[in-house]
Amino acid sequence: MGGSVKDIQSKEELDNVVSHGVPVILHFWASWCEASKQMDQVFSHLSTDFPHAHFFRVEAEEQPEISEAHSVSAVPFFVFFKDGQKVDTMEGANPSSLANKVAKVAGSVNPDKSAAPASLGMAAGPTILETVKEFAKQNGSSKTESQPPSGHSVPLEKRLQQLVDSHPVMLFMKGSPEEPKCGFSQKVVNILKEEGVNFGSFDILSDNDVREGLKKLNNWPTFPQLFCKGELLGGCDIAVAMHESGELKEVFKDHGVLSTGSNEAKGTEQGNSSVSDSTTGLSVTLTSRIENLINSSPVMLFMKGKPDEPKCGFSRKVVEILQQEKVTFQSFDILDDDEVRQGLKVYSNWSSYPQLYIKGELIGGSDIVLEMQKSGELKRVLTEKGVVPKETLEDRLKNLISSSATMLFMKGTPDEPRCGFSSKVVNALREDGVSFGSFDILSDEEVRQGLKTYSNWPTFPQLYYKGELIGGCDIVLELHSSGELKSTLSD
């Protein structure tokens, strides 16, 4: 790999190196992850610029003991050691942050000089600068010729509009058409190919400003987002419905977007048989077996190991997420069947594991599932697909009330109360040293009105302990004055 990067083969080897107290930087990577490969170039150059530190690579899926010891659930992932102790971690592909963090544990390249431009912080040495520039250029590419620069000189809203208008058909997706990073993006790419239209794309995982900006600009919280002549058509579900009804073809026709004959014919052939011998090279028997496995449960996880004994940290993470979401699911251990393991990669066009399917549709791997859980998109998909029932208002109120042993529904927040009564209750709880959770009822009218009915208590604040209503401001202050508040909230 160049530089002086070495591969770690065991936890014992790593522990031995760290124990010597020298600066150690680990890069957890995966062969299937393009970001890992790109960051590996940066990592290699850093090893040259910081010769007194030790740089090691760990193939995350092949070294589960090391990965699990450092809670690695996504790649690229970096761990930093100094004086025999772990001092920092970093997740994701950010060359500038990596360079700065390396400098903190390994020392500046030129202590007497400012060794790098502001865009890279203090860490970048002479060999890394060009690599980082090239990485940023590649990683930020939308694979369109007309992508505007990402500098702050272009107002975000103007930049977003330029991107939207850069192609008659424009897809904002996770990943690229050649390597989609989620099942929904892959679905829309397949649809556009079947429709036989040329389209531009932008990887929203490469630019958080664009990602968050588009959500607000279009009032559309999820991706992919499909545009035609600057007009938002919708996300995956809408694109699928319009495609199946023939409406999408009509929209393209009405806007003067013409299909290419050869691509359209090719796409139609794929549409008639999404997976067949001619398109994948898999046997009919194996294809049928894979499809039966995928559809054997509404939620199906292909993983390494079993839910109670995962054999890699990525599989363990997805299992934990599904359990946190209280989802019933089935699993298949791909380590037990190499035919399925290799065949599913071809079938799904997804080269790694775990793979999560919901109602027969590929969602993605651990990175995608984790991201969807954090954004709330996973719960939305599970609800829309009928896998989990839609949460009722009563269920939501119960979950909020039980989210903390002592729970205060108030106006504003503990640090910024929005009414005197709420402020008095917060002060009383703090004076008695009571830890508590809170919810600003001004931020959610549904909760505000629903809680009045649920508790049969018409005013706020409302204080709960272990799911039971204690009362409002007067009762809390009375308990505080008598010295009973703390004991009441600790029984």
Side-chain angles (χ1 to χ4, degrees):
M1 295 303 300
S4 55
V5 179
K6 299 178 181 178
D7 290 302
I8 283 289
Q9 302 299 331
S10 69
K11 188 174 183 298
E12 290 73 23
E13 180 185 0
L14 174 62
D15 291 342
N16 181 55
V17 174
V18 171
S19 67
H20 287 86
V22 295
V24 174
I25 301 95
L26 294 185
H27 173 203
F28 289 87
W29 69 289
S31 58
W32 48 264
C33 179
E34 191 62 31
S36 285
K37 297 175 184 176
Q38 293 171 322
M39 286 300 289
D40 211 26
Q41 298 177 39
V42 178
F43 194 66
S44 179
H45 284 294
L46 281 168
S47 72
T48 301
D49 286 340
F50 294 90
H52 300 300
H54 291 279
F55 290 75
F56 293 103
R57 298 164 76 238
V58 180
E59 191 163 2
E61 292 186 346
E62 301 303 320
Q63 299 289 343
E65 185 180 9
I66 305 177
S67 297
E68 290 174 23
H70 296 287
S71 302
V72 178
S73 61
V75 291
F77 189 89
F78 301 88
V79 181
F80 305 83
F81 298 88
K82 190 173 185 178
D83 300 326
Q85 301 293 322
K86 181 165 74 173
V87 295
D88 203 356
T89 62
M90 187 189 107
E91 180 180 314
N94 189 322
S96 301
S97 292
L98 177 62
N100 280 320
K101 288 179 181 290
V102 168
K104 287 181 181 179
V105 298
S108 177
V109 181
N110 297 306
D112 299 329
K113 299 180 180 180
S114 176
S119 61
L120 281 177
M122 66 179 183
T127 60
I128 190 178
L129 292 176
E130 288 304 316
T131 300
V132 172
K133 290 177 183 177
E134 182 63 24
F135 173 86
K137 180 180 177 182
Q138 294 174 0
N139 201 43
S141 174
S142 67
K143 307 219 180 270
T144 68
E145 295 179 359
S146 56
Q147 179 182 345
S150 59
H152 294 290
S153 59
V154 181
L156 179 59
E157 189 169 341
K158 182 179 179 181
R159 185 181 173 220
L160 295 177
Q161 198 59 54
Q162 288 175 339
L163 283 170
V164 168
D165 295 336
S166 64
H167 282 72
V169 179
M170 186 67 186
L171 177 64
F172 293 86
M173 62 181 291
K174 295 179 180 179
S176 66
E178 296 78 17
E179 294 185 18
K181 294 294 179 67
C182 80
F184 302 107
S185 293
Q186 185 169 39
K187 189 82 171 177
V188 177
V189 167
N190 291 341
I191 285 172
L192 293 175
K193 288 179 178 178
E194 289 175 20
E195 291 285 347
V197 297
N198 292 320
F199 63 97
S201 71
F202 186 94
D203 179 6
I204 53 93
L205 297 178
S206 71
D207 192 316
N208 198 56
D209 287 343
V210 171
R211 180 178 186 174
E212 296 305 319
L214 274 176
K215 291 180 182 179
K216 296 176 182 177
L217 180 67
N218 304 310
N219 193 27
W220 194 274
T222 60
F223 291 94
Q225 293 182 15
L226 179 63
F227 291 78
C228 180
K229 290 295 182 73
E231 179 182 339
L232 176 65
L233 299 183
C236 178
D237 290 346
I238 291 177
V240 170
M242 292 178 70
H243 173 63
E244 292 177 346
S245 68
E247 184 181 357
L248 190 58
K249 189 179 294 293
E250 291 299 318
V251 168
F252 289 151
K253 183 178 179 181
D254 291 343
H255 285 80
V257 179
L258 302 177
S259 63
T260 56
S262 58
N263 285 347
E264 185 174 23
K266 183 178 179 181
T268 304
E269 181 182 345
Q270 291 178 341
N272 290 334
S273 176
S274 59
V275 176
S276 66
D277 291 350
S278 61
T279 57
T280 69
L282 299 178
S283 69
V284 174
T285 302
L286 180 55
T287 297
S288 177
R289 187 181 174 213
I290 289 173
E291 288 178 342
N292 288 336
L293 283 170
I294 289 173
N295 293 289
S296 62
S297 174
V299 180
M300 188 67 188
L301 177 63
F302 293 85
M303 61 180 291
K304 293 182 178 180
K306 300 176 181 178
D308 52 349
E309 290 184 20
K311 294 294 179 65
C312 79
F314 301 102
S315 294
R316 182 191 300 277
K317 189 65 180 178
V318 176
V319 168
E320 290 174 351
I321 289 172
L322 293 174
Q323 290 173 341
Q324 289 166 7
E325 296 291 336
K326 298 179 180 179
V327 176
T328 300
F329 66 98
Q330 297 296 320
S331 67
F332 184 91
D333 183 0
I334 52 94
L335 298 178
D336 283 346
D337 193 316
D338 197 57
E339 184 182 49
V340 171
R341 179 179 186 175
Q342 301 304 328
L344 189 58
K345 291 180 182 180
V346 177
Y347 179 95
S348 63
N349 192 27
W350 197 273
S351 61
S352 62
Y353 291 97
Q355 292 183 18
L356 180 66
Y357 293 77
I358 297 178
K359 288 295 183 72
E361 183 174 337
L362 175 64
I363 300 300
S366 65
D367 285 359
I368 300 299
V369 176
L370 177 60
E371 183 182 332
M372 289 177 68
Q373 185 198 34
K374 288 179 178 178
S375 68
E377 190 176 351
L378 181 60
K379 186 179 290 292
R380 180 187 67 81
V381 171
L382 290 166
T383 301
E384 288 182 354
K385 298 288 187 181
V387 176
V388 297
K390 187 175 182 179
E391 186 180 50
T392 65
L393 177 57
E394 184 174 353
D395 289 335
R396 187 178 176 213
L397 294 175
K398 287 180 178 178
N399 289 334
L400 282 171
I401 290 170
S402 62
S403 63
S404 182
T406 301
M407 188 67 187
L408 177 63
F409 292 84
M410 61 181 291
K411 294 181 179 179
T413 65
D415 294 330
E416 293 186 14
R418 299 285 292 278
C419 79
F421 301 109
S422 294
S423 180
K424 288 178 181 179
V425 172
V426 168
N427 290 337
L429 291 169
R430 286 176 170 172
E431 286 174 14
D432 279 7
V434 177
S435 298
F436 63 98
S438 69
F439 185 91
D440 179 6
I441 53 93
L442 297 178
S443 68
D444 195 313
E445 187 67 17
E446 184 182 53
V447 171
R448 180 178 185 175
Q449 299 303 329
L451 199 58
K452 292 178 182 180
T453 304
Y454 179 86
S455 63
N456 194 26
W457 194 275
T459 60
F460 292 96
Q462 293 182 17
L463 183 66
Y464 291 78
Y465 179 64
K466 291 187 176 180
E468 298 293 329
L469 176 66
I470 301 300
C473 180
D474 290 345
I475 291 177
V476 173
L477 294 182
E478 184 179 330
L479 289 169
H480 174 61
S481 298
S482 66
E484 299 177 61
L485 181 60
K486 190 168 185 177
S487 60
T488 300
L489 302 178
S490 59
D491 291 340

